[in-house]
Amino acid sequence: MSDSTTSTSSKTFTTDSADTADPGPKGFHIRVPSAFTILFFLTIIAVAATWLVPAGSYSKLAYDSGSEEFQITSPAGNVETMPATQENLDDLGVKIEVEKFTSGSIDKPVSIPGTYERMPQKPQGVEDITGSMVKGTIEAIDIIVFILVLGGLIGVVKATGAFESGLVALTQKTKGREFLLVLAVSVLMLLGGTACGLEEEAVAFYPILVPIFLAMGYDSIICVGAIFLAGSMGTTMSTINPFSVVIASNAAGVVFTEGLWWRVAGCIIGGIAVCAYLYRYAKMIRRDPSSSYTWEDRDSFRERWAMGSQNSQGEQNEFSWRKRIILILFVSAFVLMVWGVMTQGWWFPTMASSFLAICIIIMFIAMTGKDRLAEKQLVDAFSEGSSALVAVSLIIGLARGINLVMNEGLISDTLLNASSHVVEGTSGPLFILVMLLIFFVLGFVVPSSSGLAVLAMPIFAPLADTVGIPRFIIVCAYQWGQYAMLFLAPTGLVMATLQMLDMKYQHWLRFVWPMVVFVLGFGGAMLVAQVLVYS
């Protein structure tokens, strides 16, 4: 899998080879820099903001399982301990059940309402621009190792020829019903998003699905839409996602089942909207491939991802039993990953270990049979596959570096405190719509769903009490606002996804903005309806 983006290929979409000179769709010619450049400039902006935005911090509450006590860290860094009792939580104004801390449901420091203090300015320097990039990459090492192992696994399977043979067999069976596979993938990603927040793990699905979608005549937009957009819509409308709605509900002091049916309805309607939007776009590019938003990059995309169906002698690859077993093992790695995340609490190190184990088994199988590969060929294939995803891994680390700059510069809590004052004096529908927009903005500042939940919910949830609405509505506003931003925020997973497929940000922006408007519009209407029903 080549990482080159400058070379060209004679391959084009199969429907019309004569239109390769067509410059593609007119309009929307905004040129956006590459993912690395965007994140570099955002890091500079974040560093500059630490000079301009007043520094401040909330006191943070954490549970120490060793001593079975609460630890309160003041803005000045002083640590105080107290017994882990419900009475102490109530006295602090933290309306969360003590069991949420002692059981481990909340394992991150929680902001204590009413404790915000201005702090001496802590501006970050020029050295922190690159320093934060390095620190962010180190923080993301677990995800990076997973992605590199994934790349190695892909390289090994590709070297065996199993991808090409399986692709030929699949495209023959789905001929004339291509969108059904796009629909099936979208539904699975929706379910994964709403149930367990399938996000970073979704990068594992591109290598197995992109060549298939490409062979069916689709473009890179469909690939990202069916995987990232559908999964993100599911996470936006989380029903039982422990990393989003559950931890946010815990931090808000409510049971996550409150408002569940509203979120279920939102997930169904959001899922229908995504699938309909993908169908409309898929139909458009099947009718006229040059209408693809990424038409200008079609050749380099195909060269990078297309799988050939013939060997050097021009004969079709035989889909032998050995290749079937290899593909079954390859697919089983993803099934195992989903099972582990949803039922066993797996995180990236365990997932990387399972992928590596399956890769080693595939290597042993590939060294048997009449068309066996040498050990050096397989090791080289693993190395080449990993190297192809190095850029993707670094993007994730660089995005985290921006958040580190704001935390180190003590401006994240300042933005959070300022946001809480914006809604003062408002009530009813206006209050909740402003909350939606606040979470939309905060989604850029704190792109982690669990991170924003524990920081913001203890501050914003009590505001619901002052205007007489249930706290679960604040949880819904948090979900729908933050994730509307994460569809397009460079500080989130978008850049890693686009880097993986070598897709320009402006092309993705052109495709996704209607979905962002839909989430904000539909989410806003749902929130107003909840306020009118329960207030």
Side-chain angles (χ1 to χ4, degrees):
M1 182 162 48
S2 172
D3 196 39
S4 172
T5 60
T6 57
S7 58
T8 57
S9 169
S10 60
K11 301 172 184 176
T12 61
F13 286 106
T14 56
T15 51
D16 188 359
S17 61
D19 58 9
T20 57
D22 191 333
K26 303 296 188 293
F28 209 85
H29 292 304
I30 298 175
R31 294 293 176 181
V32 178
S34 67
F36 281 100
T37 304
I38 290 174
L39 291 175
F40 176 71
F41 281 115
L42 285 176
T43 304
I44 295 175
I45 293 172
V47 168
T50 64
W51 289 78
L52 302 174
V53 178
S57 177
Y58 285 96
S59 293
K60 299 297 193 300
L61 172 72
Y63 176 71
D64 181 10
S65 59
S67 63
E68 297 184 346
E69 291 182 320
F70 285 134
Q71 290 185 343
I72 299 175
T73 305
S74 71
N78 300 319
V79 179
E80 175 188 350
T81 61
M82 61 173 57
T85 65
Q86 189 65 54
E87 182 181 2
N88 283 332
L89 285 178
D90 294 340
D91 290 342
L92 291 170
V94 179
K95 304 301 181 181
I96 304 174
E97 294 179 6
V98 68
E99 289 79 11
K100 302 298 183 184
F101 291 95
T102 57
S103 66
S105 297
I106 296 179
D107 59 0
K108 295 182 178 181
V110 170
S111 302
I112 301 177
T115 61
Y116 175 81
E117 294 180 17
R118 284 287 300 274
M119 301 290 292
Q121 206 68 20
K122 193 178 178 183
Q124 302 296 283
V126 174
E127 70 279 3
D128 293 305
I129 296 174
T130 52
S132 65
M133 294 177 172
V134 174
K135 291 177 183 177
T137 303
I138 293 172
E139 274 203 3
I141 191 63
D142 53 350
I143 304 177
I144 290 174
V145 171
F146 169 73
I147 291 175
L148 294 180
V149 171
L150 168 66
L153 172 61
I154 294 163
V156 169
V157 176
K158 187 177 179 181
T160 66
F163 271 143
E164 290 86 343
S165 300
L167 184 59
V168 171
L170 180 62
T171 52
Q172 288 175 346
K173 292 181 180 296
T174 57
K175 192 172 182 62
R177 302 185 301 276
E178 290 85 359
F179 188 75
L180 287 179
L181 182 60
V182 176
L183 180 62
V185 171
S186 300
V187 171
L188 288 174
M189 292 305 301
L190 277 161
L191 294 175
T194 193
C196 64
L198 208 62
E199 294 180 278
E200 288 97 340
E201 301 88 346
V203 299
F205 295 102
Y206 291 106
I208 190 174
L209 292 171
V210 170
I212 297 173
F213 289 157
L214 189 57
M216 293 176 173
Y218 295 126
D219 64 356
S220 55
I221 291 285
I222 285 291
C223 302
V224 183
I227 299 173
F228 175 77
L229 179 60
S232 295
M233 181 61 77
T235 309
T236 302
M237 304 297 177
S238 291
T239 51
I240 58 173
N241 174 11
F243 307 108
S244 175
V245 65
V246 174
I247 194 170
S249 297
N250 289 341
V254 298
V255 180
F256 81 92
T257 52
E258 292 186 44
L260 175 62
W261 294 111
W262 287 91
R263 299 195 301 271
V264 169
C267 187
I268 293 172
I269 296 173
I272 292 172
V274 164
C275 293
Y277 190 55
L278 286 172
Y279 177 76
R280 173 184 171 276
Y281 181 82
K283 187 176 180 181
M284 178 182 74
I285 63 172
R286 293 287 293 179
R287 183 175 60 249
D288 177 15
S290 68
S291 63
S292 164
Y293 294 170
T294 56
W295 178 247
E296 64 181 271
D297 300 321
R298 63 197 181 279
D299 290 337
S300 59
F301 181 68
R302 286 186 63 87
E303 182 175 11
R304 182 174 184 176
W305 288 100
M307 297 291 181
S309 61
Q310 294 184 329
N311 60 23
S312 58
Q313 284 73 41
E315 299 173 353
Q316 185 174 324
N317 286 323
E318 178 188 0
F319 197 24
S320 63
W321 66 268
R322 190 167 63 97
K323 291 178 180 177
R324 292 173 190 267
I325 292 175
I326 288 173
L327 277 185
I328 290 172
L329 285 169
F330 180 70
V331 173
S332 71
F334 302 92
V335 176
L336 184 64
M337 178 190 75
V338 173
W339 171 81
V341 170
M342 294 185 67
T343 66
Q344 305 301 308
W346 284 9
W347 200 235
F348 289 103
T350 309
M351 289 187 284
S353 177
S354 67
F355 273 48
L356 185 59
I358 289 175
C359 182
I360 293 172
I361 294 172
I362 290 175
M363 283 180 164
F364 279 115
I365 295 174
M367 288 188 286
T368 64
K370 61 180 181 180
D371 52 349
R372 61 182 176 272
L373 298 176
E375 172 267 341
K376 186 177 187 307
Q377 288 178 286
L378 293 168
V379 172
D380 288 345
F382 185 93
S383 299
E384 291 171 7
S386 295
S387 65
L389 296 188
V390 167
V392 178
S393 304
L394 292 177
I395 286 292
I396 293 175
L398 298 185
R400 286 197 176 190
I402 297 171
N403 191 237
L404 284 176
V405 167
M406 292 188 288
N407 289 336
E408 291 292 327
L410 301 179
I411 63 174
S412 295
D413 279 8
T414 297
L415 297 174
L416 183 62
N417 180 64
S419 299
S420 68
H421 291 306
V422 170
V423 294
E424 289 181 354
T426 61
S427 61
L430 179 60
F431 168 84
I432 203 62
L433 289 177
V434 173
M435 287 299 309
L436 177 70
L437 295 178
I438 286 175
F439 280 116
F440 179 69
V441 175
L442 291 177
F444 184 92
V445 178
V446 186
S448 165
S449 56
S450 58
L452 183 58
V454 297
L455 289 175
M457 280 300 121
I459 306 301
F460 288 114
L463 298 178
D465 302 336
T466 65
V467 295
I469 65 174
R471 292 188 176 195
F472 79 80
I473 302 180
I474 302 293
V475 175
C476 291
Y478 141 82
Q479 285 186 213
W480 301 336
Q482 183 194 33
Y483 275 96
M485 171 59 75
L486 293 185
F487 283 179
L488 46 82
T491 50
L493 191 62
V494 171
M495 286 307 184
T497 300
L498 301 186
Q499 178 67 37
M500 190 167 197
L501 297 187
D502 195 24
M503 185 192 299
K504 293 183 176 66
Y505 183 72
Q506 68 263 28
H507 295 157
W508 172 247
L509 190 61
R510 181 186 181 191
F511 175 76
V512 81
W513 74 261
M515 284 289 98
V516 176
V517 172
F518 165 78
V519 170
L520 291 175
F522 172 64
M526 290 272 283
L527 290 171
V528 170
Q530 289 175 335
V531 168
L532 295 176
V533 168
Y534 292 99
S535 60

